[in-house]
Amino acid sequence: MAEKTIHGIAQRVDEMRDTFQYGKKILNFLDELFHIYQDIVPLLEKINKSIEESSSNLPHASNELSKVTQATEVATIEILNTIEEMNCIINESSQLITKVSEKKARRKKLLDEVLKLCKSLKSSNKGKLAESAESLVKQIIADESEEDLVKKVTGNTEKLSEYASDITISLQVQDITAQQLAAVNQLVESVHNRLHDLLQSLDENNVAPPPELISGKAQSFDPDATYFDSKNRQKFADSVQNSYQNESRDCENHKVINNKPSQEEIDRLFNNNG
Amino acid sequence: MSNMKVLVVDDSATMRRIVINTLKTIGYTNILEAADGKEALAHIYADNIQLIVTDWNMPNMNGLELTKTVRADDNYKNIPILLVTTRGVKEDIVEALQAKVNGYIVKPFTPQVLKEKIEQITNNS
């Protein structure tokens, strides 16, 4: 009996020793865990601060993008104002050139009259004088230099007008880039909101509501807006429109044909009425 | 020169200016402008507009909503509408045609294209 009791005590002592050894292992593990936690906490604080900083910088980035759009819009309108003034001058010059041409035509008419007069005077005693006058008038009429100048100036004003028009077309790039920037701004806004949500999940109490970004204002844009290849894109749009209209016309014709009553239906109608 | 009263609708001040300048160079002088569909409707109801040149993407009321509103109103449904937009994929073009725009121009456009389209839609209407 005593032997059994001693054996039981020895077993308990073994168990206790095992438990102590296990506890020692756990203690080491907890100690390591505590050290890791000590390392992680400042790291998490750093991440938190970094997210906070990034998040607070995003409205600034968004504002800067909006400022770019505003600045380019102002500059573009200034250029367009200048182009409009240029166009006014070009139009005025064209009108002046037309007036010069009209004056020249009137002068030619008058010179023709003088020529006729010279011819009639040739047989008179002032014949010699008339001949010289006729020759001078003919020289004036034959002088094409003025005509060439008018043509050149007309050509130049037409070219200027074309260039002004080309610049106007190119300035459409402002609207297109404004739409692209608006798309970027929307992305910035969504990143900003995500970061704010993340901060809130890390620290529910200390996160202020996100400031409204400029892109949050009512605006609508095409995120795929592009400046390039407009000629082909217009051709494509025209072809889609043509085929759509042809299909619609075919559909309408089909409806008209199907709506025509058959001879049988007409006969039935007359028989019923008769 | 054309005396036709044209309404230019675009939320971009630059684009309104460009369309107006282009219209002037091709002979249109009687031009009004609006920054979105809602502003455009006010002009349509008050100013006897004969042609609308509108953008698609606009706040408050876009160009397609404007077209649908105009087409649904018996008093104004026959006003020709020209859509000027950056959107150039087939689905968009078909959607615009289904809303009953008369013409479709892809930005950036040339004065020649604008002139041709206006002639086309004003002759057909």
Side-chain angles (χ1 to χ4, degrees), chain A:
Chain A
M1 179 74 182
E3 195 180 319
K4 213 173 180 182
T5 309
I6 289 167
H7 182 69
I9 290 168
Q11 209 173 0
R12 291 274 173 228
V13 169
D14 280 349
E15 276 174 20
M16 277 174 76
R17 196 190 56 214
D18 287 348
T19 308
F20 277 125
Q21 273 175 352
Y22 189 65
K24 206 179 167 188
K25 271 184 190 170
I26 285 179
L27 216 63
N28 285 339
F29 174 72
L30 284 175
D31 193 41
E32 243 172 76
L33 205 68
F34 181 72
H35 279 109
I36 289 171
Y37 181 73
Q38 270 184 326
D39 288 345
I40 281 177
V41 168
L43 201 67
L44 282 174
E45 272 171 5
K46 256 188 190 174
I47 290 171
N48 196 357
K49 209 173 175 189
S50 162
I51 292 172
E52 250 177 40
E53 274 172 16
S54 308
S55 180
S56 65
N57 279 336
L58 285 178
H60 180 65
S62 172
N63 287 351
E64 289 301 309
L65 283 177
S66 300
K67 273 187 202 165
V68 170
T69 303
Q70 284 165 7
T72 53
E73 190 172 76
V74 169
T76 309
I77 287 178
E78 277 172 10
I79 297 169
L80 284 167
N81 285 341
T82 313
I83 290 173
E84 205 176 355
E85 277 172 28
M86 261 173 67
N87 276 333
C88 284
I89 296 168
I90 291 167
N91 284 342
E92 209 181 293
S93 305
S94 298
Q95 282 167 4
L96 287 175
I97 293 164
T98 311
K99 270 186 189 165
V100 168
S101 297
E102 282 168 4
K103 273 191 177 176
K104 194 172 181 284
R106 260 205 309 275
R107 199 177 59 195
K108 165 96 175 33
K109 224 175 173 181
L110 290 174
L111 287 172
D112 284 340
E113 291 295 320
V114 176
L115 268 183
K116 268 184 205 166
L117 205 68
C118 290
K119 266 179 194 163
S120 65
L121 283 174
K122 264 186 194 172
S123 51
S124 70
N125 57 349
K126 305 265 185 193
K128 203 130 194 179
L129 204 65
E131 254 177 49
S132 350
E134 189 188 40
S135 145
L136 282 173
V137 170
K138 277 182 179 169
Q139 277 179 47
I140 295 171
I141 292 173
D143 183 9
E144 293 294 324
S145 60
E146 200 182 43
E147 186 81 21
D148 287 346
L149 280 177
V150 169
K151 270 185 193 164
K152 201 163 184 190
V153 175
T154 307
N156 282 349
T157 49
E158 278 169 5
K159 262 187 196 163
L160 280 176
S161 182
E162 277 170 27
Y163 290 150
S165 161
D166 288 347
I167 295 170
T168 306
I169 295 162
S170 303
L171 289 176
Q172 291 177 66
V173 75
Q174 193 279 328
D175 174 54
I176 291 161
T177 47
Q179 296 198 49
Q180 289 166 343
L181 286 176
V184 174
N185 235 344
Q186 201 185 44
L187 279 176
V188 168
E189 189 173 359
S190 81
V191 171
H192 180 246
N193 288 338
R194 286 277 173 90
L195 287 178
H196 180 262
D197 290 347
L198 190 65
L199 279 174
Q200 212 162 26
S201 66
L202 288 173
D203 190 358
E204 276 181 19
N205 300 324
N206 287 329
V207 181
E212 197 178 317
L213 303 185
I214 285 187
S215 64
K217 286 181 183 170
Q219 62 174 325
S220 179
F221 56 86
D222 173 15
D224 302 318
T226 170
Y227 182 71
F228 301 104
D229 206 22
S230 69
K231 224 175 187 178
N232 284 332
R233 290 168 77 223
Q234 184 60 50
K235 266 188 195 166
F236 176 70
D238 290 345
S239 73
V240 172
Q241 185 170 6
N242 285 339
S243 55
Y244 178 84
Q245 282 166 343
N246 288 340
E247 272 173 34
S248 304
R249 219 169 290 138
D250 287 349
C251 261
E252 280 300 312
N253 289 341
H254 190 65
K255 267 188 205 165
V256 171
I257 292 165
N258 284 348
N259 286 342
K260 253 185 192 172
S262 65
Q263 189 57 48
E264 217 172 286
E265 283 170 325
I266 295 168
D267 289 345
R268 209 180 306 137
L269 193 72
F270 275 95
N271 287 339
N272 285 345
N273 285 341

